[in-house]
Amino acid sequence: MEGEYKKIILLKGLEPINDYQFSIVKSVLARDLGLTANMQKEYNKVKIADLMEKKFPGVACVNKLIDLFKEMQDCEDIVINLRNGKRKVMRQSRGKETIPMKKIKPGASSTEESTSTADGASGSVHDTPESKKQKSKTTPKGGKKKVQPTQQQSQLPEPSATSTQSSGSSLQGPQQPPATPCSSGSTKKPRLKAIPREAAREEGVQKGPKKVMVLKATEPFVYDTMEPGKKMFHATVATESQFFQVKVFQVNLKEKFVSKNIITISDYVGRNGFLEVYDASSVSEVSADQKMEVSSALIQKANATPKIRDLYLQKPGTFVNGIYEVHKKNVLNEQIISYEIQDNTGKMEVWVYGRLTEVDCEEGDKLRLTCFELSDNVKKLRSVIHSFMKVIKSRKNKKQPLDPDSHMETSP
């Protein structure tokens, strides 16, 4: 089966990628494969596949490539093909298909209860025989008693970055104020409207209309350097009870996305925690006599920067907005820069790819990150095709930006 794994990484992994993506693969794997600068220039995809087979025998070479492609832009389909190919070879090597779920017969052993299956494409994990047994045990009287989960169960893998589940569920909600005494001497808790900690989510095509107040918007920017006409900007909007992150792909709508402006959004798409607006006709301003009351607490939550400590609790695939100070900068190559950001709760790496590597940012500056994704193997933030980055220069680093997309500000 060793040759089958090599065939997977060559035909399903390396063959479909372009020259630029292949150069990233060679650069990132240079240390692991022992590649010199000349070897990186001269080695083709076949030679790299040969080296990977030797350095990472068996299924390890496929896993290595999967981990790398999960970090790269526009490689989601390749990751899925690699995982499917890997599962197919592993099933062939076992000589049998995954055992289907079956019902327990009286007196049957617990090993017949279920089959453990890890779905490599989605990252989901189904119940194992042990987890089923831990969930419920039948007592002699036919009742059930609760059993605490084992340590092994508490360490099951998280969903993959392609998941569209909402994040932040592990964080505590806002605390209610203490009860206040009533005139009769009893106590009664005041009713307060709950303030969401995360942006609201909608999935699929939405007709609307949705009336919102604009809280803020970024400058328009080119998100695809191969096609300069592809421009967009990000915005944050709110109803009276929740806030939303918006991607606007019609830059002429920027004049309507002005702070405190009240607009309606129709015929938009909800995807991965964002509302996506594609047509100019989808946005219209409301009449001046229509008012909206958006609480200062909701606005504060919408503009808040997540603590790094809390980012480690989020699910992979979560998109993050916030302002963080840069403590270290590491230029890996012309197309990849790693920044170490820090706040009073911890540190985390931010990997920046492609066009955003031209933004002038140095140690001591602050980065205003928009639409950065939390990676799904090592916890770090990374730029994706729609990411936007703005630099807030420290006094000591203040100078003219080299690139118009750097959008420099000055920090005191």
Side-chain angles (χ1 to χ4, degrees):
M1 292 296 174
E2 300 293 324
E4 293 298 319
Y5 289 122
K6 177 183 174 181
K7 186 188 297 184
I8 291 171
I9 63 173
L10 182 57
L11 300 183
K12 296 183 180 294
L14 298 178
E15 181 62 25
I17 63 177
N18 57 39
D19 291 342
Y20 168 65
Q21 291 169 324
F22 183 49
S23 66
I24 292 179
V25 171
K26 290 189 287 186
S27 177
V28 174
L29 295 181
R31 180 176 297 178
D32 292 335
L33 299 179
L35 298 176
T36 64
N38 287 335
M39 293 166 69
Q40 289 186 52
K41 293 180 181 179
E42 297 173 359
Y43 273 31
N44 59 22
K45 295 176 181 179
V46 176
K47 288 187 177 181
I48 293 298
D50 291 340
L51 269 182
M52 290 189 67
E53 183 187 32
K54 293 178 182 178
K55 292 287 186 177
F56 312 108
V59 71
C61 63
V62 183
N63 290 336
K64 190 74 173 178
L65 209 53
I66 289 174
D67 289 341
L68 175 54
F69 282 143
K70 286 193 298 185
E71 297 293 316
M72 294 172 59
Q73 298 182 39
D74 303 323
C75 292
E76 293 85 355
D77 291 341
I78 298 177
V79 170
I80 292 173
N81 291 335
L82 286 170
R83 283 170 167 163
N84 290 340
K86 180 181 73 171
R87 286 202 303 273
K88 182 177 179 181
V89 173
M90 293 178 72
R91 285 197 299 265
Q92 290 173 350
S93 66
R94 290 196 299 266
K96 58 181 180 179
E97 297 292 333
T98 303
I99 303 173
M101 302 261 310
K102 58 175 75 174
K103 294 182 178 179
I104 288 289
K105 297 180 180 179
S109 65
S110 62
T111 56
E112 295 179 26
E113 188 170 356
S114 63
T115 300
S116 172
T117 305
D119 187 343
S122 66
S124 62
V125 177
H126 301 294
D127 291 333
T128 63
E130 291 76 17
S131 66
K132 283 273 189 178
K133 192 163 58 178
Q134 290 295 334
K135 285 180 181 177
S136 62
K137 289 187 178 179
T138 304
T139 64
K141 295 183 180 180
K144 292 184 178 180
K145 63 179 183 178
K146 294 181 180 180
V147 179
Q148 295 296 326
T150 63
Q151 181 178 4
Q152 182 181 3
Q153 290 170 324
S154 66
Q155 297 175 346
L156 292 177
E158 294 178 313
S160 69
T162 57
S163 170
T164 57
Q165 298 176 9
S166 68
S167 60
S169 58
S170 60
L171 302 180
Q172 296 181 353
Q175 295 182 349
Q176 295 294 327
T180 55
C182 298
S183 57
S184 61
S186 61
T187 58
K188 180 175 67 174
K189 290 184 178 180
R191 284 190 173 184
L192 294 178
K193 189 180 293 184
I195 302 299
R197 302 181 69 91
E198 304 293 335
R201 302 173 66 94
E202 294 181 358
E203 294 297 328
V205 177
Q206 307 291 325
K207 290 297 183 181
K210 181 190 294 294
K211 187 171 79 168
V212 296
M213 176 185 287
V214 179
L215 302 184
K216 61 181 179 180
T218 70
E219 297 88 347
F221 62 96
V222 176
Y223 64 89
D224 188 344
T225 54
M226 302 299 293
E227 298 185 44
K230 288 191 173 182
K231 294 183 178 182
M232 64 172 293
F233 63 90
H234 289 274
T236 304
V237 301
T239 64
E240 293 182 344
S241 60
Q242 52 191 181
F243 66 94
F244 298 85
Q245 303 295 344
V246 187
K247 294 179 181 179
V248 185
F249 294 92
Q250 283 284 342
V251 294
N252 58 347
L253 289 173
K254 182 65 170 64
E255 60 185 17
K256 295 182 180 179
F257 281 83
V258 178
S259 179
K260 297 185 179 181
N261 202 23
I262 300 174
I263 59 176
T264 60
I265 304 176
S266 306
D267 299 319
Y268 57 91
V269 178
R271 184 182 289 119
N272 294 332
F274 292 88
L275 309 185
E276 299 183 354
V277 176
Y278 293 93
D279 298 320
S281 61
S282 296
V283 178
S284 59
E285 297 188 67
V286 302
S287 59
D289 59 340
Q290 294 192 41
K291 305 295 182 182
M292 278 192 70
E293 294 293 334
V294 179
S295 69
S296 58
L298 181 58
I299 295 175
Q300 184 178 1
K301 287 294 182 185
N303 294 329
T305 292
K307 293 293 186 182
I308 292 177
R309 170 187 59 200
D310 296 334
L311 294 183
Y312 282 99
L313 303 177
Q314 303 296 318
K315 286 180 170 56
T318 300
F319 286 94
V320 176
N321 297 345
I323 302 174
Y324 299 95
E325 185 173 348
V326 174
H327 282 252
K328 290 183 182 179
K329 177 181 179 181
N330 184 16
V331 180
L332 302 179
N333 57 47
E334 292 182 353
Q335 293 296 320
I336 306 177
I337 296 178
S338 170
Y339 296 100
E340 182 185 278
I341 58 173
Q342 181 176 331
D343 64 14
N344 60 355
T345 67
K347 300 177 181 179
M348 181 173 279
E349 284 190 353
V350 178
W351 281 44
V352 172
Y353 302 93
R355 60 180 171 82
L356 292 181
T357 58
E358 299 178 8
V359 175
D360 176 36
C361 179
E362 302 298 334
E363 295 176 3
D365 294 338
K366 291 182 179 179
L367 285 177
R368 187 190 300 272
L369 306 177
T370 304
C371 191
F372 273 67
E373 186 182 34
L374 195 62
S375 64
D376 58 350
N377 51 357
V378 178
K379 281 294 180 76
K380 66 187 176 192
L381 293 173
R382 62 181 180 182
S383 68
V384 294
I385 188 170
H386 295 152
S387 294
F388 179 76
M389 188 169 80
K390 188 171 185 176
V391 178
I392 306 173
K393 303 297 290 185
S394 65
R395 292 291 184 184
K396 64 178 181 179
N397 292 336
K398 184 180 178 182
K399 60 182 179 180
Q400 286 299 114
L402 300 177
D403 182 83
D405 282 339
S406 61
H407 303 298
M408 182 183 69
E409 296 180 7
T410 303
S411 174

